[in-house]
Amino acid sequence: MKNKASAEILEKWLKGWSLSRELPLPVPYKSGFTVDVNTPMQKKRYLFSEPNDDFIQLSKIIDEPWVYLKVSSTFETFKDKIPSKWKIQGDQYMMSCFHPMVALKRGFPDDYTIHHDVYNSTYVVRVMTKNGNEQGAIGRVAIVDDMAVYDQIITDEKHRRKGLASLLMKELEKIALSKGARNNFLVATTEGKSLYETLGWEIYSPYTSIVIPSDDSLDD
């Protein structure tokens, strides 16, 4: 695992994330990058490769809730340098895979079908029940130069423990390889990390997300 992701890697990943979510592309902010998200629970996000002076100063300037600061570093490296108003948002991991994913031991279930869609440079794979009435799983991969950015990998609760997520990832990988993108990246939760590790992914670098919650959310 690297101590941090480079600014070049983060810029490509953030561009892919923005394409996947149909948001404005990231723009530089000092030594990092920023994206206008414009949703009630995430107004804007900033991303840095390390908790440097730019990151620390920004944490002291921002008072508005639901503006996220994200950094390729562990929380422990900077938690004593930022105001206490900032709260960490669970465990996350920047993960990578620079080789073919592990081959699956099971085939595609007979009672599901695969559907494809595309927008911008983002390719969508949906795993649907054969009658087309239910979506079992969905995922996206955005292609940015030689990088494949995997995003919004979701399996419906009723369709879990059937291997759909693994099949979905392999299907997205086929698309990425067909586009010449062999450097695979994503940011995972703890739950997702276990799945990706079974497919041969590894933790690339630390990744921490902090935010100032609203007063209402603190009361919940």
Side-chain angles (χ1 to χ4, degrees), residues 16-121:
W17 183 89
S18 299
L19 288 168
S20 168
R21 300 180 185 235
E22 299 183 271
L23 294 171
L25 294 181
V27 296
Y29 174 84
K30 296 187 177 181
S31 58
F33 306 95
T34 185
V35 171
D36 289 326
V37 182
N38 292 322
T39 64
M41 300 298 286
Q42 185 172 181
K43 298 172 183 176
K44 182 188 286 280
R45 64 166 48 189
Y46 293 87
L47 179 60
F48 293 85
S49 64
E50 59 184 344
N52 55 19
D53 288 344
D54 294 337
F55 177 87
I56 300 301
Q57 288 303 313
L58 189 58
S59 75
K60 296 176 180 178
I61 293 171
I62 295 174
D63 292 314
E64 187 178 8
W66 306 121
V67 175
Y68 283 76
L69 299 186
K70 296 170 180 280
V71 61
S72 178
S73 179
T74 61
F75 186 56
E76 288 70 21
T77 61
F78 63 86
K79 66 179 183 180
D80 295 329
K81 301 177 183 178
I82 62 173
S84 60
K85 61 190 176 184
W86 292 96
K87 306 302 177 185
I88 186 171
Q89 297 297 289
D91 293 327
Q92 293 179 298
Y93 311 86
M94 176 160 277
M95 302 187 72
S96 62
C97 186
F98 300 117
H99 53 75
M101 294 186 212
V102 173
L104 303 179
K105 296 180 180 179
R106 67 173 82 182
F108 200 83
D110 292 336
D111 47 347
Y112 291 92
T113 59
I114 293 178
H115 298 257
H116 295 85
D117 197 4
V118 61
Y119 56 88
N120 300 332
S121 299

Side-chain angles (χ1 to χ4, degrees), residues 104 107-117 123-140 152-160 162-172 175:
L104 303 179
F108 200 83
D110 292 336
D111 47 347
Y112 291 92
T113 59
I114 293 178
H115 298 257
H116 295 85
D117 197 4
Y123 299 83
V124 185
V125 172
R126 291 181 175 86
V127 181
M128 305 290 295
T129 55
K130 210 156 196 177
N131 58 20
N133 290 337
E134 291 187 27
Q135 178 175 283
I138 186 171
R140 296 164 175 81
Q152 301 184 86
I153 311 298
I154 302 168
T155 303
D156 186 272
E157 189 171 353
K158 292 192 298 183
H159 298 271
R160 292 178 182 174
K162 297 182 179 181
L164 297 186
S166 297
L167 293 164
L168 176 69
M169 289 293 291
K170 290 292 288 182
E171 193 68 19
L172 291 169
I175 296 171

